[in-house]
Amino acid sequence: MKPYVALIALLSFFSGGCATKKEADKKAESEAKDTSIAKLPEPKPGEAVATFAAGCFWCIEEEFELLKGVRDAVSGYAGGPGGQPTYEEVGSGSTGHAESVQVYYDPRVIPYDTLAKAFLMAHDPTTLNRQGPDRGTQYRSMAFYRTPAEKASLEAAIARFNASGEYTDPVVTQVVPFKAFYPAEVYHQGYYRAHPDDFYIMSVSMPKVEKFKKHLADKLKPEGAVNQ
């Protein structure tokens, strides 16, 4: 990342908090966009599904799609009651949902234990209701388990993460049973790659993705093989 971009991101963080994401949202609103709800893919034979919330889904979707064994990652909403919410409703913090990503993967290539580790490395799981400049319960850290084995795997991954000293503070991730996942609007899907010049993507998302790639270098797909 270029130094001037990092400096701008730092100044934005201290001067306005989530202003960067709000500006990106305004830009998206001004462009022609498909606000219809994305369709969830059907799991292929032998595939499994996992769901995580780790802050802005634009970045988290990209991070999971970099991993070998992951066929697709879908941005959406989870953790709240009721039916399908809109992005604006979730962004208000009033629905109880968190921006989330649903991952379709081959457990023979990437086991759930590795996904749990990747989830913790994909964001800062020690900050409550916040990820970087983004603040609010819609950005909280959550891991949704579907089986007792997944719950145990998540709890073990968190224990290892806390013991690693990666962060001074302990993990605050909510480990909860999976209930429902609602896909986000079409224009959010693949947003990271579709908007590489977006200020939020450059200043907030790209540094997170680069850090993720360094920590999980041996788990990444070959360059150019994402979503192939």
Side-chain angles (χ1 to χ4, degrees):
M1 185 179 185
K2 296 181 180 179
Y4 77 89
V5 175
L7 177 60
I8 292 172
L10 185 63
L11 291 173
S12 174
F13 178 86
F14 285 109
S15 64
C18 55
T20 51
K21 182 69 182 296
K22 289 180 180 178
E23 288 302 315
D25 291 341
K26 289 178 181 178
K27 179 182 177 183
E29 289 173 2
S30 67
E31 298 174 344
K33 61 181 182 180
D34 188 346
T35 58
S36 62
I37 301 302
K39 293 182 179 180
L40 289 176
E42 288 292 332
K44 292 184 177 181
E47 278 190 338
V49 182
T51 309
F52 304 98
C56 175
F57 47 30
W58 296 341
C59 176
I60 306 305
E61 177 190 329
E62 171 68 14
E63 290 173 318
F64 275 110
E65 288 191 342
L66 292 171
L67 298 171
K68 288 183 290 188
V70 171
R71 175 174 65 89
D72 201 1
V74 179
S75 290
Y77 317 108
Q84 175 76 52
T86 66
Y87 180 65
E88 290 73 22
E89 289 169 342
V90 174
S92 73
S94 63
T95 70
H97 296 85
E99 291 195 14
S100 306
V101 171
Q102 188 143 286
V103 181
Y104 296 78
Y105 69 101
D106 185 343
R108 296 165 297 185
V109 178
I110 182 168
Y112 190 84
D113 287 351
T114 302
L115 280 185
K117 175 184 177 182
F119 158 69
L120 292 170
M121 296 306 306
H123 70 308
D124 179 355
T126 70
T127 53
L128 184 64
N129 299 332
R130 176 176 178 175
Q131 284 300 310
D134 300 323
R135 301 182 180 96
T137 56
Q138 65 270 33
Y139 299 113
R140 67 192 184 275
S141 176
M142 304 182 76
F144 303 89
Y145 63 85
R146 288 169 168 78
T147 67
E150 288 183 355
K151 181 183 180 183
S153 179
L154 288 165
E155 291 172 342
I158 290 171
R160 289 192 297 268
F161 192 88
N162 280 330
S164 72
E166 181 72 23
Y167 291 93
T168 302
D169 296 325
V171 170
V172 296
T173 299
Q174 298 174 14
V175 177
V176 298
F178 175 80
K179 292 183 179 179
F181 175 83
Y182 303 98
E185 294 81 351
V186 169
Y187 77 94
H188 288 298
Q189 311 304 326
Y191 192 94
Y192 180 96
R193 289 185 170 247
H195 299 84
D197 297 327
D198 181 280
F199 175 75
Y200 181 90
I201 295 296
M202 289 192 299
S203 62
V204 178
S205 301
M206 285 184 178
K208 289 176 66 176
V209 171
E210 290 306 311
K211 179 181 177 182
F212 179 84
K213 289 164 69 174
K214 289 180 181 178
H215 278 288
L216 290 115
D218 62 330
K219 306 298 182 184
L220 303 181
K221 296 171 183 172
E223 195 72 29
V226 176
N227 277 346
Q228 290 185 3

